[in-house]
Amino acid sequence: MLKLENVHSYYRKIHALKGISLHVKEKSICCLIGANGAGKSTTLMAISGIQGIRQGNIILRGDFISKLPPEEIVKRGVVQVPEGRRIFPDLTVRENLILGAYLHRDRKKTKSLAEKAFTLFPILKERREQRGGTLSGGEQQMLAIARALMASPRLLLLDEPSLGLAPLIVEQIMAIIRQIRDDGLTILLVEQNANAALELGDYGYVIETGRVVLEDTSCELLKNPRVKEAYLG
Ligand code: ATP
């Protein structure tokens, strides 16, 4: 579904991505793990077209997308849930969801997507007239994921969905991500919580200072002594 080939990206003089190559297979969960500042978020932003790349290729279902603007990449089914959720705090849950469906001008389609989101996240249905800012951290993360699903993505980019959440809530969010994959979506998951990500994922890449230093199936990475020591505590 998605391939990155030798991708380099800079923030002025900072060489943030130093030749990242990876492959996200259709209908799988691919994890990017690594420490703070390794380049995980930059990788997602490069795929979304928000962060420019200076060298390399980003290929989505056979098409080179690295020169496309972000809105064109969204139209091709790549939707990012950014770190820190960034929902609209003053809008209700329902209004946040409707904004996620801005690509579909069709009210019927928007309604059916919202119904689907409410089935996946029943708590959001209960809270649908509540303002986003009044939700708990876990509910806001659910809303951020639900809003992304309203754009009918084929590839979902999730940046640190577990950040700042209690272990029980992390489990719930991870179970929902698994459900979304089982429903046929492809997911690229960035996580500092390597344990939770690899338990859930199919394949994983370890990123250190802008480079992929290790890749394997999630099962093998969970057993790998280097990963255990550096990332699994
Ligand atoms: P985190 O989990 O902290 O978000 P990360 O693995 O996602 O870490 P990135 O945010 O991609 O890492 O950062 C990669 C490198 O780029 C780091 O050295 C970081 O300091 C630098 N960087 C990130 N954003 C900017 C920016 N807006 N301006 C300058 N440098 C940046």
Side-chain angles (χ1 to χ4, degrees):
M1 144 109 16
L2 178 81
K3 266 189 185 164
L4 268 65
E5 293 175 345
N6 190 31
V7 168
H8 289 257
S9 184
Y10 291 74
Y11 295 99
R12 293 178 183 269
K13 286 187 179 156
I14 297 171
H15 195 175
L17 303 184
K18 300 171 183 157
I20 296 274
S21 295
L22 52 89
H23 184 191
V24 184
K25 291 206 173 129
E26 186 122 29
K27 297 181 185 174
S28 72
I29 298 175
C30 177
C31 310
L32 298 187
I33 60 172
N36 255 333
K40 306 180 299 297
S41 299
T42 306
T43 303
L44 293 194
M45 290 195 292
I47 297 166
S48 296
I50 298 162
Q51 170 69 18
I53 69 169
R54 207 175 279 181
Q55 197 187 320
N57 292 313
I58 303 179
I59 304 159
L60 179 72
R61 293 191 301 275
D63 294 334
F64 289 80
I65 61 164
S66 41
K67 299 227 160 43
L68 298 179
E71 59 274 19
E72 183 57 36
I73 294 174
V74 172
K75 277 191 196 149
R76 288 172 186 236
V78 180
V79 178
Q80 183 169 354
V81 179
E83 187 177 330
R85 294 140 206 163
R86 308 217 197 118
I87 56 152
F88 297 101
D90 295 329
L91 299 184
T92 65
V93 166
R94 192 176 49 78
E95 289 163 342
N96 266 280
L97 290 180
I98 290 169
L99 279 180
Y102 73 97
L103 285 177
H104 313 294
R105 299 255 157 78
D106 176 351
R107 278 181 68 181
K108 229 169 146 186
K109 169 115 191 181
T110 303
K111 205 170 161 213
S112 98
L113 283 166
E115 283 310 319
K116 237 169 117 180
F118 287 146
T119 309
L120 201 55
F121 301 97
I123 190 74
L124 295 182
K125 188 168 189 178
E126 280 176 39
R127 306 250 189 275
R128 63 185 178 279
E129 298 307 330
Q130 219 170 295
R131 282 174 190 230
T134 68
L135 302 179
S136 69
E139 289 163 358
Q140 289 191 17
Q141 184 62 63
M142 290 179 196
L143 179 56
I145 296 173
R147 187 179 59 186
L149 293 177
M150 294 292 290
S152 312
R154 293 178 67 175
L155 171 63
L156 197 59
L157 310 176
L158 294 175
D159 198 349
E160 304 260 10
S162 80
L163 195 70
L165 302 180
L168 208 63
I169 311 292
V170 173
E171 260 180 50
Q172 279 181 24
I173 301 270
M174 294 297 164
I176 289 166
I177 296 171
R178 178 178 287 124
Q179 173 73 53
I180 294 170
R181 189 266 324 265
D182 292 347
D183 288 346
L185 239 84
T186 309
I187 295 167
L188 181 55
L189 172 65
V190 159
E191 263 299 339
Q192 273 195 49
N193 185 341
N195 223 335
L198 295 175
E199 292 278 352
L200 174 76
D202 299 293
Y203 201 81
Y205 292 85
V206 180
I207 299 191
E208 284 176 9
T209 55
R211 290 189 176 91
V212 172
V213 293
L214 203 58
E215 63 166 281
D216 211 329
T217 60
S218 297
C219 287
E220 288 303 317
L221 288 179
L222 275 169
K223 289 190 272 183
N224 184 302
R226 185 169 162 195
V227 175
K228 272 188 177 168
E229 194 186 321
Y231 301 106
L232 301 177

